[in-house]
């Protein structure tokens, strides 16, 4: 059932509307509930395909549904329409305003109503993509403070990697942080690249979400064979920054194993035809983040490598 969570009038007879699709199994009023959220950042589109496929597959197999699946596909619709990461009218990053306030501006109002609506769920999956600059392999990010509790769920999501990482995506001001304060375990997904849909990654995560639902008793299908993710903390991650400015030309593939000293890529200057910097791997490991947008400046992130040393 499609419900309106927020509806706010805008200038020129327009309307800001946030909707959810609540799918409930027959006779499952007391069953468990999972919330799937995406679209907090308007330039992150990977979750749109995940939501589409979830609704399509669940509605085609309603006899398997043993609980409630609440799907919130577009929390920042104005950002999506304008290809903007933030809320266009205010410039606010919505993932910095939670838990919000119903008396606040639009972003704070949406944040407060979203938290109130999800409150009481057994688990939430908050789906993000990277920005336009970096491509990420499918991964779950969880904070170190709750890692022992969240790790058992994170391992069920069929991602390549679980990063115990106190990033902005899980820190104070984020949806994940606000929901954890309300007792809702929340798993943050990062995958793909901004403004694009990587269907292979989306399908991989879909398998994981249905697997998690099976584990929780929400989906009446046996748990599936899934990828067992690598689990790491910040201490095993090497971040490579550019020293020079120019055009980054990669010499490796994303999600590729490299050895220490291997050439990751070159930073070149087109007008002089010169190589300004040869970027090399500082350790053996897996490239789980790789520069997608080729223009770089001093200090730009080129890659992240999960070290296996």
């Amino acid at each position: 059932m499609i419900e309106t969570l927020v509806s706010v009038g805008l200038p020129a007879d327009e309307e800001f509307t946030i909707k959810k699709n609540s799918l409930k199994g027959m006779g499952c009023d007391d069953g468990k509930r999972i919330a799937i959220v995406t679209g907090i950042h308007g330039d992150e589109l990977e979750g749109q395909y995940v939501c589409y496929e979830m609704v399509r597959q669940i509605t085609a197999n309603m006899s398997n549904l043993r609980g409630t699946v609440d799907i919130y596909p577009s929390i920042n619709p104005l950002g999506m329409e304008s290809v903007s990461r933030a809320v266009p009218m205010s410039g606010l990053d919505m993932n910095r305003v939670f838990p919000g306030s119903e008396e606040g501006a639009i972003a704070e109002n949406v944040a407060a109503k979203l938290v109130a609506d999800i409150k009481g769920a057994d688990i939430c999956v908050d789906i993000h993509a990277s920005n336009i600059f970096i491509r990420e392999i499918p991964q779950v990010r969880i904070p170190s403070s709750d890692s022992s509790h969240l790790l058992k769920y994170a391992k069920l999501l069929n991602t390549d990697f679980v990063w115990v990482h106190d990033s902005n995506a899980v820190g104070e001001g984020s949806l994940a942080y606000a929901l954890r304060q309300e007792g809702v375990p929340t798993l943050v997904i990062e995958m793909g690249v901004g403004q694009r849909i990587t269907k292979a990654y989306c399908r991989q995560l879909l398998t994981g979400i249905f697997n998690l639902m099976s584990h929780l008793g929400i989906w009446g299908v046996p748990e599936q064979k899934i990828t067992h993710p690598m689990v790491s903390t910040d201490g095993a991650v090497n971040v490579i920054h550019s020293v020079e400015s120019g055009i980054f030309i990669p010499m490796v593939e994303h999600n590729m194993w490299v050895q220490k000293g291997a050439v990751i890529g070159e930073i070149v200057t087109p007008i002089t035809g010169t190589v300004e910097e040869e970027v090399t791997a500082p350790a053996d490991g897996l490239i789980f983040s790789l520069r997608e947008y080729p223009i770089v400046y001093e200090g730009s992130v080129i890659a992240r490598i999960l070290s296996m040393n």
Side-chain angles (χ1 to χ4, degrees):
M1 179 174 67
I2 297 177
E3 305 172 25
T4 298
L5 181 65
V6 178
S7 182
V8 180
L10 297 174
D13 294 324
E14 294 183 323
E15 194 172 37
F16 179 92
T17 304
I18 308 292
K19 295 185 178 183
K20 75 169 183 178
N21 195 345
S22 187
L23 304 169
K24 190 181 295 290
M26 187 71 69
C28 296
D29 291 339
D30 297 326
K32 291 191 174 183
R33 176 161 66 101
I34 185 172
I36 310 297
V37 179
T38 192
I40 288 177
H41 294 132
D43 62 347
E44 297 179 352
L45 306 178
E46 304 282 8
Q48 301 305 299
Y49 188 78
V50 174
C51 290
Y52 158 72
E53 278 292 338
M54 284 204 70
V55 174
R56 187 185 70 81
Q57 292 183 35
I58 290 172
T59 53
N61 298 276
M62 287 298 291
S63 61
N64 290 328
L65 190 56
R66 304 283 190 267
T68 300
V69 181
D70 285 338
I71 297 176
Y72 306 80
S74 182
I75 303 305
N76 181 7
L78 293 179
M80 286 190 177
E81 290 175 10
S82 61
V83 200
S84 169
R85 186 173 185 81
V87 180
M89 294 177 296
S90 63
L92 284 173
D93 181 337
M94 279 204 66
N95 217 28
R96 302 291 181 273
V97 302
F98 289 96
S101 168
E102 291 199 22
E103 287 73 45
I106 289 180
E108 290 91 348
N109 182 272
V110 169
K113 289 179 177 176
L114 180 63
V115 170
D117 202 66
I118 295 175
K119 184 178 178 179
D122 293 279
I123 199 162
C124 176
V125 179
D126 179 19
I127 305 172
H128 291 261
S130 185
N131 52 37
I132 64 169
F133 301 102
I134 303 290
R135 181 176 291 276
E136 302 278 3
I137 65 173
Q139 60 197 262
V140 186
R141 295 187 183 178
I142 57 179
S144 55
S145 59
D146 288 329
S147 60
S148 58
H149 176 56
L150 294 175
L151 196 55
K152 61 183 178 182
Y153 298 122
K155 289 180 177 180
L156 296 170
L157 281 173
N158 198 40
T159 60
D160 299 318
F161 179 35
V162 177
W163 190 3
V164 182
H165 177 50
D166 294 317
S167 68
N168 290 333
V170 298
E172 191 167 356
S174 69
L175 173 64
Y177 183 91
L179 289 177
R180 293 199 309 274
Q181 304 311 299
E182 297 292 345
V184 180
T186 303
L187 304 167
V188 175
I189 307 298
E190 294 276 357
M191 64 179 186
V193 67
Q195 300 182 17
R196 298 291 183 272
I197 290 175
T198 312
K199 290 199 288 186
Y201 289 170
C202 295
R203 291 177 183 133
Q204 181 179 343
L205 178 61
L206 273 164
T207 298
I209 294 175
F210 278 109
N211 185 64
L212 175 62
M213 288 164 54
S214 296
H215 179 81
L216 294 171
I218 297 172
W219 191 241
V221 173
E223 292 183 46
Q224 302 182 50
K225 185 176 181 181
I226 59 167
T227 297
H228 292 287
M230 297 171 288
V231 179
S232 182
T233 59
D234 287 342
V237 172
N238 291 282
V239 183
I240 304 173
H241 297 272
S242 60
V243 176
E244 302 292 340
S245 300
I247 307 296
F248 174 66
I249 308 297
M251 301 296 181
V252 296
E253 298 293 332
H254 187 229
N255 200 12
M256 178 176 173
W257 292 90
V258 295
Q259 293 183 324
K260 181 178 180 179
V263 177
I264 303 296
E266 295 175 337
I267 297 175
V268 305
T269 300
I271 196 167
T272 61
T274 56
V275 175
E276 302 298 328
E277 180 186 352
E278 187 177 71
V279 182
T280 59
D284 297 349
L286 175 71
I287 298 176
F288 70 90
S289 308
L290 184 63
R291 187 80 182 183
E292 178 81 8
Y293 190 71
I295 307 297
V296 298
Y297 298 95
E298 182 182 349
S300 297
V301 174
I302 298 295
R304 297 187 187 94
I305 296 179
L306 175 59
S307 175
M308 305 307 292
N309 291 344

